[in-house]
Structures are given as structure tokens and as C-alpha cells.
Amino acid sequence: TRTIGINNSGEWKRSSTKTGYSNIVRCCNSVSYKKFVNFALDQTTHHTLLLPSPLQEKYNSLNSKDGKGELSMLSFQAAKIRLLRSLIIESETMQVLDFTAFPKAEYDTPIFCANFFTTARTNIVVLDLNPLHDIINQGDYKEKYFKSLIPLGLKYAEHFPWGGKLTSESIKFFSPIVIWTKFTSSAQNYDILYSAFKDYYKVWLELVGSAVKETDESQILRNLQAQHRYLTWRAEKDPGQGVLKKLIGDTLAKDLLRNFLFNGVDELGSKKFSDYFPQYRLCLAMVNSQHNIEGYLFISRLVSLHLKLIVAYLTN
Ligand code: BLA
């Protein structure tokens, strides 16, 4: 198989040894997310034939406007995976990972999602298998994918406490095992984050591996619409947008978001953001009001506590 990677100076290269990033740490921080991505790519190649995505040619490496940071992009596809892509940002002040894998519409498998934003002092982390369908009202979907994964979620819940306020939409895109957390920078925290990343990715690969191809056209369409809704949300509301615009300017940032990170948003469906999220059209201020967010937060904490009690009861 052809193998590819990004070298340390950010130049695109083909390497004969492995698929992934060069592991050399470019900057001052104690963590480099390149090893996370390399682990994932390596694991993936054990399960499936990973092919370069057509996006790779255009999206590979960019320097930030101030010349002090570098953005490295990798993208692939596979038999069951429409797009597996990663963005790593390394600069003097931050390390960022945005690693997401989208299954093809014939599979209702969750979307793998790892978003880590790291500065010298703090870290904002989302690690999840984002459910494709509603896990609150669609019990069978929750049962199919998440019931057996609750112990995995609990394994990290104690070390990585809930990160705080979220919009109600984000909560709905997250699974019961989401790691949504903020922590101070330390080698120990990165070790545990790496371990969680490895666990979650291996589980995701198993789910994709055992997924059975859907043949019912209406189910495929449902999966496709769910993927498109997800892409629409993220392309519009990604909290990293501001950082990206600052690093590479408005035009490039928008292009990167719509055509690389959330590729498919303009092709997989024709609905717009306001069709999927009409609440934002009329009354943005209300949706964002403290009251609403606190309400959801309160409920989600209750649910999570409840879940822990049930698990404790069942395992005793
Ligand atoms: C903050 N990123 C956040 C937050 C969430 C996410 C939940 C905190 C709450 C919020 O601002 O909404 C991530 N939200 C997600 C994810 C989903 C979602 C993964 O709904 C999926 C459905 N983060 C990145 C990248 C950058 C980044 C690429 O992924 C930078 C280039 C930065 N995330 C970033 C920053 C914040 C943040 C700077 C803080 C934003 C703020 O406080 O305003």
C-alpha cells in the first residue's frame, strides 16, 4: 500500500515507512497530538485498507499568517468510512487536534470525534463517539451502540470531570460516554487522555468493523440526513472558528471548515442551518440564555448521576 505523511517542516511528503505524521515535536508544549493520530491510523490499517482522500492534495499543510504556527491536515477514506480526517495545529501558544471519522451513509455507526484545544495552562477536550441518531427518544439506537460502552465512559468519568456549560444542541450530539472536560496541562493528564483516546478509537474501529451494510433505502437516507445535520451544525458552530480565522484569515478558515473539516456539508444535503436548527433563526439570545443552558446542564448532570447509580446497583 502507498503510505503518506507530513514531515516536520510541514512539507507534504510520501514516506515509505508508515502512514501518518512525523512524530517529532515541533514546539514547546509537552504534548503533541501527532502521536494520537498516528496511533489511530496505524490501528485503522490493521482493520481496513486506508486510501488517501481526494481532499489530501489540496489540504495538507498551511502556515499561520504570523509564520509562527503550522496546520497539518491528513485525510483518508475506506470501505466503510466516507472520510477520516485530521487537523493538527502546532504553534508557540497552542496545540490543537480535530480528528473526526465519518462512516458512509450505509452504516448507522456513530461518528468518531476527538477535539482537543491546548494552551500552556489549559485544555478543552471533547472525546466521543457522536451518535448519529437521537439516543433519548430512540432507545434501540442507544441500546445498540452505547449500552455495552457505559463501563468505558465510567472508566474516565472520575478523572475527567464534566467540563461545564454546553448548548443544548451540543448535548444532543454527544453520547452517554462523552468525555467533555477541561483540565490544567500536565504530563499525567496527557497520558490519561492518550489512554482514553486509544480506548475510544479501538472501540469505534470495532463498531465500524462489525457494522452491517444497510440495504433499506429509507434507512440509508435517514443516516445521510443525520450526517448532514451534524456537518451543518459543526461547520456553522465550531467553537474553534475564531482561532482558525485568527491564524489563517477569514477566507481560508471558511474554506477549511466547509470543504475539509466538515466536507460534505455542501454536497450531502440541501437543507440549511436554519432548517435544522430553526430555534436559532428567531431567538438566538433566548437559546443562549443562561437559564436555558443551566437547565440542560442540570438535567444532564441528573441523568449522569442516575446512570452511575444504576450501574453501581447492577454491578454490586
Ligand atoms: C470550546 N469546543 C469548545 C466547547 C465545546 C467544543 C463543546 C465548549 C463549549 C462551547 O463553546 O460550545 C467542542 N462542540 C464541540 C464538539 C462538538 C460540539 C466537538 O458541539 C461536536 C458536536 N476547538 C477545536 C478546534 C479549535 C478549538 C479545531 O476543535 C481551534 C482551532 C478551540 N474550543 C476551542 C476554543 C474553545 C472551545 C478556543 C473555547 C471557546 C470559548 O470559550 O468561547
Side-chain angles (χ1 to χ4, degrees):
T1 53
R2 202 159 50 141
T3 54
I4 44 193
I6 285 177
N7 72 10
N8 201 37
S9 59
E11 289 159 8
W12 179 237
K13 66 156 188 183
R14 295 200 189 288
S15 117
S16 55
T17 50
K18 64 194 292 239
T19 300
Y21 291 108
S22 145
N23 258 335
I24 305 159
V25 181
R26 185 173 184 270
C27 108
C28 44
N29 275 332
S30 61
V31 67
S32 168
Y33 293 125
K34 287 181 176 169
K35 89 170 176 191
F36 288 53
V37 176
N38 287 343
F39 169 84
L41 295 177
D42 187 51
Q43 286 291 307
T44 316
T45 55
H46 293 154
H47 283 72
T48 181
L49 180 64
L50 210 47
L51 299 167
S53 153
L55 294 174
Q56 187 64 60
E57 208 169 315
K58 179 169 175 201
Y59 301 94
N60 44 67
S61 153
L62 268 176
N63 287 325
S64 62
K65 286 194 300 185
D66 64 5
K68 291 180 180 163
E70 183 197 351
L71 292 79
S72 321
M73 287 76 84
L74 286 176
S75 56
F76 301 90
Q77 56 194 3
K80 295 180 177 179
I81 302 171
R82 180 181 70 85
L83 175 65
L84 181 156
R85 91 298 182 277
S86 97
L87 163 69
I88 284 192
I89 305 173
E90 293 191 330
S91 79
E92 282 174 351
T93 54
M94 73 179 87
Q95 303 275 330
V96 177
L97 172 67
D98 183 337
F99 180 72
T100 307
F102 303 96
K104 287 186 179 166
E106 287 83 4
Y107 305 93
D108 68 353
T109 321
I111 296 165
F112 183 84
C113 164
N115 280 70
F116 307 157
F117 176 79
T118 293
T119 63
R121 295 169 68 187
T122 187
N123 300 269
I124 302 173
V125 161
V126 174
L127 175 63
D128 195 22
L129 315 185
N130 293 150
L132 207 54
H133 300 298
D134 186 337
I135 46 159
I136 294 164
N137 299 312
Q138 216 185 302
D140 55 341
Y141 187 76
K142 186 177 172 185
E143 184 104 343
K144 180 174 174 187
Y145 285 116
F146 295 105
K147 195 180 169 199
S148 62
L149 297 181
I150 299 301
L152 175 64
L154 291 174
K155 179 175 172 190
Y156 293 102
E158 213 161 303
H159 188 80
F160 292 127
W162 190 251
K165 290 174 193 169
L166 284 176
T167 62
S168 61
E169 280 75 17
S170 289
I171 288 180
K172 285 185 216 153
F173 282 118
F174 291 167
S175 84
I177 63 160
V178 65
I179 297 180
W180 151 237
T181 191
K182 293 176 181 169
F183 55 79
T184 52
S185 302
S186 81
Q188 194 214 4
N189 280 333
Y190 295 129
D191 285 347
I192 299 172
L193 186 62
Y194 186 41
S195 154
F197 178 87
K198 288 189 285 189
D199 282 354
Y200 275 56
Y201 194 72
K202 282 191 279 190
V203 159
W204 183 78
L205 276 179
E206 296 291 330
L207 295 182
V208 176
S210 56
V212 179
K213 195 171 187 170
E214 181 68 66
T215 50
D216 179 346
E217 281 300 324
S218 68
Q219 285 305 322
I220 297 174
L221 193 62
R222 267 191 80 229
N223 294 341
L224 187 69
Q225 280 167 345
Q227 289 268 2
H228 187 247
R229 184 172 182 273
Y230 179 93
L231 291 166
T232 306
W233 167 255
R234 295 208 56 191
E236 177 95 11
K237 287 285 165 206
D238 200 285
Q241 261 183 62
V243 177
L244 284 177
K245 285 181 178 167
K246 225 169 156 182
L247 286 171
I248 54 175
D250 285 12
T251 313
L252 277 180
K254 198 171 169 236
D255 178 52
L256 193 67
L257 277 159
R258 295 196 81 82
N259 299 318
F260 178 75
L261 291 176
F262 306 111
N263 172 279
V265 66
D266 293 320
E267 294 86 22
L268 298 188
S270 54
K271 281 194 184 176
K272 299 280 169 260
F273 184 82
S274 58
D275 300 324
Y276 288 123
F277 309 98
Q279 63 274 34
Y280 276 80
R281 194 178 333 181
L282 284 176
C283 217
L284 191 67
M286 209 176 97
V287 171
N288 279 336
S289 78
Q290 285 299 85
H291 176 78
N292 235 335
I293 296 169
E294 294 290 359
Y296 274 108
L297 191 65
F298 179 63
I299 289 168
S300 77
R301 277 188 179 283
L302 269 187
V303 170
S304 134
L305 184 66
H306 198 171
L307 208 69
K308 281 184 192 171
L309 287 174
I310 293 171
V311 170
Y313 175 74
L314 290 176
T315 51
N316 264 329

